[in-house]
């Protein structure tokens, strides 16, 4: 997992908001959104850019890579939803394992945030 | 829309055609079509919408890395191993035949060593081939 994200980071670049730091939390972000309701790729990417006010837009290639990764780890599972616009759409739902993983990630993030804040917040202007 | 499908199909050409990649490709095309439809609704022309979607798609390499695709290098070295095995058995049999003919018909003259050397080139070259594939795979 670490090697994969490292490799991905090397290939990044471009606008700062799509930075490595955010990238490391994409799994958590997708899991968090799927915890609210089952969804499919495009709906999730719309939700992400909407919630961030357009400051973060996930690339499709990245999004589907996340799906593959999460499904492989059995944190999410997919199923085919009702027909719409002349075809079946693939939905994703979070698994019990996924929920457990998400809680663990949230707990870890809180801790990381506190630690980073210790250093980042005491800078004099 | 045809242009969009063609573009995605082309991106996927670099990936081996498996059931998994087919499913993902279909899924991506469907989602991107919806995105194009949304952009057109926002007032973009179809051409602009498709261009935007293609540009924003990102790098297919990311998806490839997450998929458990059969490693082509690994497969090549498997094949090379098979070649070597076949050449070993094959040359073994041929040399055994020479040995038999040699000692059965001309037991006083040992000549089988000459054709044996010639035949030995076969497994030797296959061994070289396998070794090379292994080195290539490591890169």
């Amino acid at each position: 997992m670490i090697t994969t994200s490292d490799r991905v980071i090397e290939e990044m670049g471009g606008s700062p908001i799509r930075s490595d730091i955010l990238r490391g939390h994409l799994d958590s972000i997708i899991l968090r959104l799927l915890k609210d309701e089952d969804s499919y790729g495009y709906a999730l990417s719309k939700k992400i850019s909407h919630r961030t006010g357009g400051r973060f837009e996930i690339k499709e290639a990245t999004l589907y890579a996340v799906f593959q990764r999460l499904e492989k780890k059995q944190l999410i599972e997919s199923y085919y939803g009702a027909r719409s616009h002349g075809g079946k759409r693939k939905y994703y739902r979070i698994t019990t394992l996924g929920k457990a993983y998400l809680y663990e990630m949230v707990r870890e993030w809180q801790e990381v945030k506190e630690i980073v804040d210790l250093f980042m917040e005491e800078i004099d202007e | 829309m045809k242009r969009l499908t063609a573009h995605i199909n082309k991106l996927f050409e670099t990936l081996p055609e498996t059931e998994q990649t087919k499913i993902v490709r279909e899924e991506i095309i469907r989602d991107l079509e919806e995105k194009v439809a949304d952009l057109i609704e926002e007032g973009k022309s179809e051409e602009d919408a498709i261009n935007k979607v293609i540009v924003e798609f990102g790098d297919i390499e990311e998806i490839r890395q997450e998929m458990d695709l059969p490693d082509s290098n690994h497969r090549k070295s498997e094949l090379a191993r098979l070649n070597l095995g076949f050449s070993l058995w094959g040359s073994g049999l041929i040399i055994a035949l020479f040995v038999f003919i040699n000692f059965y018909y001309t037991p006083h003259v040992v000549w089988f060593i000459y054709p044996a050397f010639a035949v030995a080139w076969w497994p030797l070259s296959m061994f070289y081939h396998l070794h090379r594939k292994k080195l290539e795979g490591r890169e």
Side-chain angles (χ1 to χ4, degrees):
Chain A
M1 154 111 212
I2 291 164
T3 53
T4 309
S5 42
D6 280 355
R7 228 174 345 183
V8 168
I9 286 164
E10 278 170 23
E11 286 162 11
M12 284 297 292
S15 67
I17 201 66
R18 287 172 190 153
S19 63
D20 330 347
I21 301 170
L22 205 47
R23 180 168 278 267
H25 297 279
L26 278 179
D27 290 15
S28 313
I29 291 171
I30 299 296
L31 284 175
R32 177 65 188 81
L33 289 172
L34 286 176
K35 197 178 93 69
D36 288 344
E37 57 176 339
D38 298 359
S39 193
Y40 60 94
Y42 180 53
L44 281 173
S45 82
K46 262 197 299 196
K47 218 180 258 178
I48 289 172
S49 66
H50 189 72
R51 278 220 197 160
T52 58
R55 279 187 298 166
F56 177 58
E57 283 180 5
I58 191 165
K59 286 193 179 289
E60 275 78 12
T62 312
L63 182 64
Y64 295 99
V66 172
F67 284 154
Q68 291 294 323
R69 184 164 58 234
L70 293 178
E71 212 171 5
K72 208 161 55 189
K73 290 203 235 160
Q74 300 186 335
L75 301 177
I76 60 171
E77 55 194 12
S78 60
Y79 62 93
Y80 282 100
R83 273 177 175 277
S84 64
H85 306 297
K88 279 186 288 183
R89 170 158 281 132
K90 203 171 164 199
Y91 282 85
Y92 292 93
R93 90 161 67 86
I94 190 167
T95 61
T96 318
L97 189 65
K99 279 179 192 157
Y101 180 83
L102 176 61
Y103 289 130
E104 184 56 31
M105 285 296 111
V106 170
R107 198 194 54 72
E108 197 181 283
W109 170 244
Q110 300 290 358
E111 213 172 302
V112 169
K113 202 165 65 173
E114 274 170 33
I115 291 169
V116 175
D117 274 352
L118 282 178
F119 298 96
M120 298 303 184
E121 285 195 334
E122 60 184 19
I123 292 176
D124 298 320
E125 287 297 310
Chain B
M1 285 301 183
K2 270 212 183 95
R3 195 155 68 84
L4 180 69
T5 314
H7 181 78
I8 298 300
N9 282 341
K10 192 151 184 225
L11 285 183
F12 269 83
E13 265 173 22
T14 58
L15 274 61
E17 177 101 4
T18 65
E19 199 54 36
Q20 190 194 13
T21 55
K22 229 158 88 185
I23 289 172
V24 173
R25 192 183 64 206
E26 297 295 313
E27 183 188 359
I28 288 175
I29 290 174
R30 279 189 56 75
D31 276 1
L32 292 183
E33 276 175 355
E34 194 179 329
K35 191 171 174 182
V36 169
D38 272 9
L39 288 172
I40 290 173
E41 209 164 292
E42 281 171 22
K44 278 200 160 44
S45 71
E46 181 171 325
E47 192 173 338
D48 283 354
I50 290 175
N51 284 341
K52 188 171 154 67
V53 165
I54 288 175
V55 167
E56 283 178 355
F57 179 77
D59 189 356
I60 189 95
E61 202 49 39
E62 285 189 52
I63 297 174
R64 182 218 294 276
Q65 281 167 8
E66 292 303 335
M67 288 183 145
D68 296 317
L69 297 173
D71 187 354
S72 62
N73 267 328
H74 180 70
R75 206 141 126 221
K76 272 184 197 151
S77 102
E78 283 286 292
L79 276 177
R81 201 183 303 274
L82 189 73
N83 285 344
L84 176 63
F86 183 72
S87 65
L88 279 175
W89 281 104
S91 53
L93 280 171
I94 294 172
I95 291 169
L97 181 69
F98 280 128
V99 171
F100 169 76
I101 295 171
N102 185 177
F103 289 108
Y104 191 80
Y105 294 104
T106 55
H108 305 295
V109 189
V110 180
W111 52 262
F112 82 90
I113 207 87
Y114 304 112
F117 258 93
V119 171
W121 274 104
W122 182 22
L124 205 64
S125 68
M126 285 304 152
F127 179 72
Y128 167 76
H129 184 65
L130 172 68
H131 197 67
R132 213 185 116 133
K133 282 283 174 270
K134 270 190 180 158
L135 281 179
E136 273 173 11
R138 215 173 293 155
E139 269 159 27

